[in-house]
Amino acid sequence: LFGNIESILGSIKDEKYQSIWREIKKSFATISKLEDKAFVQWNENKTLEQQLTTSNKSAQKSAQQIANLANVKANSFRSTARISTTLLIVVVIVIFLVASTVITRQIVLPLNQAVQFAAGIADGDLSSELAIDQKDEIGQLVSALNGMVIQLRSMITAISENSSQIAASSEKLSATSSQ
């Protein structure tokens, strides 16, 4: 196209038309440069678009990997929470069993011994004592039962001595009245 313009420009002798043709030539040169720039810009935009597409795909892949990792972590946390909860329940049950065993040994066993001791007293056995040393209500009960046995022994001893004296006095009275 420029070659044709050059040949046309050489054949025109009028300065006015040559000036117009030179302006047209400059315009075409400017248009050609702008087209070249536009083409370069278009290629750069295309490259940037490809880079953005690649970056976008990479970002989506990374986001998916992060989501997968978060899902794995959440599942792991749920599993750990289940194990911890189960372990906590087992520990609570063991503590409950140990506490109930201790309470049973501290209350029920001494109470059963006190009941058997009281049954022995009711049967007339005043020779034994309970050897339970506790500072709680069970200890107070045992202490009271032991005190009761001691008092009953001394009362029986006193009654026995008094009855022996009465028997001796009765024999003396009988012997004196026979005389």
Side-chain angles (χ1 to χ4, degrees):
L1 181 66
F2 286 115
N4 288 341
I5 292 174
E6 288 292 327
S7 64
I8 293 172
L9 202 59
S11 65
I12 296 176
K13 300 290 180 208
D14 187 2
E15 184 61 39
K16 184 178 173 186
Y17 287 117
Q18 279 187 355
S19 170
I20 291 172
W21 278 111
R22 275 188 236 123
E23 284 299 318
I24 291 173
K25 181 180 172 185
K26 278 185 192 176
S27 295
F28 276 116
T30 303
I31 288 172
S32 178
K33 286 179 184 176
L34 289 175
E35 281 178 344
D36 289 344
K37 280 185 178 181
F39 183 73
V40 167
Q41 200 64 25
W42 182 80
N43 279 336
E44 287 176 1
N45 287 345
K46 198 67 168 162
T47 303
L48 283 174
E49 181 182 338
Q50 288 171 347
Q51 289 173 347
L52 284 174
T53 302
T54 304
S55 294
N56 188 20
K57 286 179 183 177
S58 176
Q60 286 176 346
K61 185 178 179 181
S62 295
Q64 185 62 42
Q65 288 173 341
I66 290 171
N68 290 342
L69 182 61
N71 194 20
V72 167
K73 289 283 186 182
N75 288 338
S76 173
F77 179 74
R78 274 187 234 119
S79 177
T80 302
R82 281 187 201 125
I83 291 169
S84 296
T85 302
T86 303
L87 186 61
L88 180 64
I89 289 170
V90 168
V91 167
V92 166
I93 289 171
V94 167
I95 289 172
F96 175 75
L97 290 174
V98 167
S100 66
T101 303
V102 167
I103 289 171
T104 299
R105 287 188 177 162
Q106 296 242 336
I107 294 173
V108 174
L109 294 177
L111 199 56
N112 284 338
Q113 288 176 347
V115 167
Q116 289 173 356
F117 181 70
I121 293 170
D123 289 339
D125 180 16
L126 299 176
S127 63
S128 62
E129 272 189 38
L130 273 177
I132 297 175
D133 186 28
Q134 288 181 261
K135 305 293 182 210
D136 56 3
E137 290 80 6
I138 301 294
Q140 291 173 351
L141 174 66
V142 167
S143 178
L145 286 173
N146 283 334
M148 181 180 73
V149 166
I150 292 170
Q151 288 296 325
L152 284 173
R153 273 191 222 142
S154 65
M155 283 173 52
I156 288 175
T157 302
I159 290 172
S160 177
E161 287 174 0
N162 287 338
S163 69
S164 293
Q165 286 176 357
I166 290 174
S169 296
S170 174
E171 279 181 25
K172 280 186 188 177
L173 274 174
S174 247
T176 1
S177 63
S178 311
Q179 287 179 0

